[in-house]
Amino acid sequence: MKIGAPKKSYKNTRKKVLPSTVKYQHLEHFSRPVPITGSDISKITETFNLHLTETSVMLGLNTSSLYEKKKKDEIQPANISILLRILMALPQYIPKTEPPSIEDLIQKIQKIDPEFDRSWVGILLGLEKNSSFRLRREGIEHGSQTTKALCSLIYRVISDNPNNWYLIREVIDVESTARKIVPAEDIWTEGGWNKNIEEISPAAKGKKNKIVLSSSLKNED
């Protein structure tokens, strides 16, 4: 740059007024030049009904860091403040776990594997057999965040490739065997994920019942 050369200006760039979040008046200040603080993170979490893990993903923070920022209620770093202002202007980009309905998941599986019984969906999601009726009656939205994430993952992978369903079935067998359920397939009809877990000592992990997923079930390029 030459000495005395005029500095570049960004003033002539086309600008648009930052849209205020009219739908949520208590968040309107995100569109104004006021500092963003830790309490604002709590307001967003409550407004959009975000789980702790969803907020962590949204901000790129681990749980402990997130707690600290909310607790201290100090002015947030520029990167977090900018991120939050953008998300409040365009809330549709907030990352959320939106699992399919239980009925959609069951129907998707039954199209691939007609023998799959709707009463087994609880077992598939790592719950007990009697949870299947509750899930179908109350909906997945009442499940834990982990259950929602698992439901979403299974639906996504079998939507991408129906053959992935048989890999998932084998994963269930592996977990069942790891928990000393014999035969492993009894987990579907009998339930009881935790009934034998007390018998598994830490020293025994990895030494017995070693199972690897079938090489034939690897994803094809």
Side-chain angles (χ1 to χ4, degrees):
M1 178 182 294
K2 294 181 180 180
I3 297 176
K7 293 181 179 180
K8 288 186 176 180
S9 173
Y10 214 24
K11 291 182 180 179
N12 295 327
T13 302
R14 178 175 173 268
K15 291 183 179 181
K16 187 176 182 180
V17 176
L18 183 66
S20 61
T21 50
V22 177
K23 185 177 180 181
Y24 305 103
Q25 293 295 332
H26 63 293
L27 301 178
E28 190 272 338
H29 61 284
F30 280 91
S31 63
R32 294 189 280 108
V34 296
I36 304 300
T37 66
S39 61
D40 288 317
I41 298 175
S42 297
K43 291 175 185 176
I44 292 172
T45 300
E46 294 167 4
T47 301
F48 293 96
N49 193 28
L50 299 174
H51 189 272
L52 180 64
T53 55
E54 292 173 322
T55 308
S56 295
V57 170
M58 180 179 75
L59 299 179
L61 299 172
N62 60 38
T63 304
S64 59
S65 296
L66 180 58
Y67 271 127
E68 283 298 309
K69 291 195 175 298
K70 292 170 67 176
K71 183 175 67 175
K72 291 182 179 178
D73 198 24
E74 298 174 345
I75 294 176
Q76 295 301 297
N79 55 357
I80 289 181
S81 295
I82 292 169
L83 191 156
L84 291 175
R85 291 183 195 278
I86 293 173
L87 288 174
M88 290 305 94
L90 302 166
Q92 66 268 32
Y93 287 95
I94 295 175
K96 291 192 67 176
T97 300
E98 297 182 358
S101 71
I102 290 298
E103 286 303 318
D104 283 348
L105 177 62
I106 291 172
Q107 289 176 21
K108 175 75 72 173
I109 294 169
Q110 288 181 334
K111 285 182 180 179
I112 303 167
D113 184 0
E115 294 185 6
F116 181 82
D117 193 284
R118 61 199 310 104
S119 67
W120 297 345
V121 72
I123 294 297
L124 175 65
L125 298 176
L127 307 172
E128 295 305 324
K129 189 179 178 183
N130 56 12
S131 298
S132 299
F133 176 73
R134 177 177 55 80
L135 283 169
R136 285 153 43 209
R137 182 188 63 205
E138 299 178 4
I140 190 66
E141 57 270 18
H142 296 288
S144 71
Q145 187 65 17
T146 304
T147 300
K148 292 177 184 177
L150 179 55
C151 183
S152 297
L153 177 63
I154 292 172
Y155 191 86
R156 192 163 67 247
V157 299
I158 64 178
S159 294
D160 289 344
N161 182 355
N163 285 330
N164 283 335
W165 167 245
Y166 301 101
L167 173 62
I168 292 170
R169 277 187 54 176
E170 191 169 355
V171 167
I172 300 297
D173 286 345
V174 169
E175 183 63 23
S176 182
T177 302
R179 291 169 178 267
K180 296 188 179 298
I181 297 169
V182 181
E185 58 267 22
D186 276 3
I187 188 61
W188 295 106
T189 54
E190 305 299 325
W193 277 118
N194 297 321
K195 62 185 176 184
N196 297 325
I197 200 67
E198 296 83 3
E199 301 174 12
I200 305 174
S201 66
K205 287 184 177 180
K207 292 185 178 180
K208 295 181 179 179
N209 300 322
K210 185 177 181 182
I211 298 177
V212 294
L213 299 181
S214 301
S215 58
S216 61
L217 293 175
K218 290 180 180 178
N219 288 335
E220 296 179 358
D221 293 332

